[in-house]
Structure formats: C-alpha cells, structure tokens
C-alpha cells in the first residue's frame, strides 16, 4: 500500500538534503550559526561551518552565472492567490519576461509564486532562491531554476549580484529587510544604477510619509535619498524605469 500525502509530512529541505518525518529537527542552520549561547563547541564547529557557507556561494555563483539579465521581485508569502498584490505580481512577472528579463524571487508562495508564474507564462526564465525555515516552505511549482539555501546572507548576495533591479511588492519583515538592504547598497555606492521600485502605492504610502517627515526631518536620511525609489501601481511604468536604468543591450518588448 502506497504512502498518502499525510504520510510524507513533515518535510524540510536543508541545502541539497531532504529530511522527512522523524528526521526533521526544529532548528535551522542559520540558528545554529548565530545562536551560540550555551554551545561550548562553537569554536570548533563554526570553523568547519565556513566550508558549508563557502559551498553555498559556489553553488549559487555556478548555477546563476549564465542567467540572462534579471530582476529580483519581493513580496509576502502570506498573500492569497486572488489578492490585489498577487495579481499585480503576476502581471509584473509577465511584463518583465516580455521585456527580456528573468525573474528572481524567494521561491515561496504568495506574491513570489505569482511573479514566478507570470514570468513563466510570459516565456521568461523563472528563478526561486529558497531558504531553510523552521516551518515548511518548498519552492513553488512555477520555478524553472531553484536553489535551496541554508544561510540568509548567502541567499541575499544572489538576489543582488544577479539582478539589474529590485521590485518590492507588499510584504512583511523579510520584504522590508530586502528593501532596506537595497537602499543601503545604493546609498553607500556599493551598487550603481540599481533601480528600486515599490509597487502598491496604498501599501507603501505610510512608510514613505514617515521617511519624509521623520527620518529626513531629523537628518537621518536626506530627501535626495528618497529619489532612489519609484513608487507606482503601473506595471509598464515599472518595466520602463528598469529598462531606462539598464546598461545591457536592448531586448524584448514592453507589455501591451
């Protein structure tokens, strides 16, 4: 008698390893690396862990080095498939594919899955960079090239290194993390000519107002820093802005 769906759960991907049922542990590799409290062996184990970290960079660089020009798209894994942001992400993924871009997401459900789906439906290459989490989350079915990472910092490097732009849709802490890292890299000159687009005007308006009236007013940022951001609900405007900032040869076409 074959296994049922419930028999196969839980399941976790830990780098190239798949763990199921009793073999699944509650911790993650990031947790083991960063939470050293009460671990007397951390000096020895962390030294060896650097080889695993190196392997993630090698695997990422080797797999993604031949990607066409790409755009990283971020947004919530919790968004329902019929939500406004998922509809926007799907249309964006399709338009980016038609303009000649691959789409890179975190590979999860919600907005990420919608962007991957739109890209695939538009004939583009759909990439998902997954991460080991304490709860189940597998790479969505619309991903053509998928990599599972143990470490957030290795994964985050791939989002920036292989993208010509970031598009950020409504999301939570992880989405905010990626947004502000991108802004910091542009502000400090670590990356140049790197457009950052916020899509979902209603969602972002409160944050932008706070940045203008509190952060800028108190001198924590300058008003010019906010010019790094394009805020729009128009897919074509977003893609046009990315194309105008891209130094790669012309390709693709705008969405109708």
């Amino acid at each position: 008698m074959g296994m049922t769906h419930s028999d196969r759960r839980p399941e976790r991907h830990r780098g190239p390893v798949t763990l199921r049922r009793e073999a699944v542990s509650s911790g993650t590799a990031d947790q083991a690396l960063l939470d050293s409290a009460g671990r007397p062996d951390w000096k020895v184990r962390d030294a060896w862990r650097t080889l695993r970290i190196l392997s993630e960079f090698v695997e990422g660089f080797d797999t993604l080095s031949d990607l066409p020009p790409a755009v990283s798209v971020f947004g919530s894994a919790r968004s329902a498939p019929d939500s406004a942001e998922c509809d926007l992400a799907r249309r964006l993924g399709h338009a980016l594919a038609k303009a000649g871009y691959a789409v890179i997401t975190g590979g999860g459900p919600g907005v990420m899955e919608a962007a991957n789906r739109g890209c695939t439906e538009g004939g583009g290459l759909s990439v998902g960079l997954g991460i080991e989490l304490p709860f189940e989350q597998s790479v969505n079915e619309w991903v053509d090239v998928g990599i599972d990472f143990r470490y957030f910092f290795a994964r985050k490097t791939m989002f920036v290194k292989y993208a010509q732009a970031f598009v950020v849709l409504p999301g939570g802490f992880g989405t905010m993390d990626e947004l502000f890292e991108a802004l910091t890299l542009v502000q400090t000159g670590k990356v140049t000519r790197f457009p950052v687009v916020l899509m979902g005007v209603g969602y972002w308006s409160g944050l932008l107002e706070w940045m203008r009236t509190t952060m800028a007013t108190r001198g924590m940022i300058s008003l010019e820093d906010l010019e790094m951001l394009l805020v729009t609900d128009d897919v074509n405007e977003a893609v046009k802005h990315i194309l105008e900032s891209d130094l790669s040869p012309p390709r693709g076409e705008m969405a109708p």
Side-chain angles (χ1 to χ4, degrees):
M1 187 174 181
M3 285 188 179
T4 66
H5 180 74
S6 60
D7 291 330
R8 293 194 298 269
R9 297 304 195 200
E11 174 178 310
R12 175 179 298 170
H13 296 277
R14 177 173 291 168
V17 178
T18 298
L19 302 174
R20 290 176 176 157
R21 294 177 290 281
E22 289 77 10
V24 176
S25 62
S26 59
T28 66
D30 261 331
Q31 203 172 52
L33 174 67
L34 300 174
D35 186 6
S36 59
R39 290 200 295 114
D41 62 342
W42 67 270
K43 288 185 178 180
V44 175
R45 298 196 66 177
D46 285 358
W48 282 103
R49 193 170 278 118
T50 58
L51 297 176
R52 180 184 288 170
I53 292 168
L54 176 62
S55 74
E56 293 217 335
F57 281 103
V58 171
E59 186 69 34
F61 293 158
D62 185 58
T63 303
L64 302 177
S65 60
D66 292 327
L67 279 187
V71 174
S72 289
V73 179
F74 302 97
S76 178
R78 303 185 183 191
S79 295
D82 59 351
S83 64
E85 60 266 26
C86 281
D87 175 68
L88 189 60
R90 185 173 174 182
R91 290 189 288 113
L92 171 69
H94 190 278
L96 287 170
K98 290 298 184 184
Y101 290 102
V103 168
I104 304 173
T105 78
V111 168
M112 295 175 281
E113 181 172 4
N116 286 135
R117 178 175 182 175
C119 176
T120 299
E121 292 174 336
L125 183 66
S126 189
V127 180
L129 307 182
I131 185 71
E132 178 191 3
L133 295 171
F135 46 87
E136 292 177 38
Q137 180 172 299
S138 58
V139 173
N140 70 70
E141 65 177 319
W142 296 98
V143 167
D144 300 313
V145 177
I147 306 175
D148 284 313
F149 288 86
R150 290 182 174 95
Y151 301 103
F152 269 109
F153 54 85
R155 176 184 185 236
K156 289 169 73 173
T157 299
M158 305 305 154
F159 280 130
V160 177
K161 180 172 176 58
Y162 294 102
Q164 274 64 52
F166 275 12
V167 182
V168 189
L169 287 92
F173 288 155
T175 301
M176 297 293 176
D177 180 44
E178 299 294 351
L179 167 61
F180 283 104
E181 175 159 5
L183 294 178
T184 302
L185 290 172
V186 176
Q187 184 192 53
T188 56
K190 297 295 184 182
V191 295
T192 58
R193 297 185 67 89
F194 193 85
V196 181
V197 181
L198 298 181
M199 299 200 73
V201 175
Y203 188 84
W204 297 110
S205 58
L207 174 62
L208 292 168
E209 181 64 17
W210 176 77
M211 292 168 72
R212 280 191 295 267
T213 60
T214 301
M215 294 180 79
T217 299
R218 296 184 60 178
M220 305 300 178
I221 62 171
S222 66
L223 287 174
E224 289 75 19
D225 290 333
L226 296 178
E227 295 176 3
M228 295 185 288
L229 291 164
L230 170 68
V231 189
T232 183
D233 286 328
D234 187 323
V235 167
N236 277 337
E237 182 181 11
V239 175
K240 180 181 178 183
H241 179 67
I242 293 168
L243 285 168
E244 289 174 347
S245 301
D246 192 348
L247 297 179
S248 303
R251 63 193 171 278
E253 60 188 38
M254 289 293 291

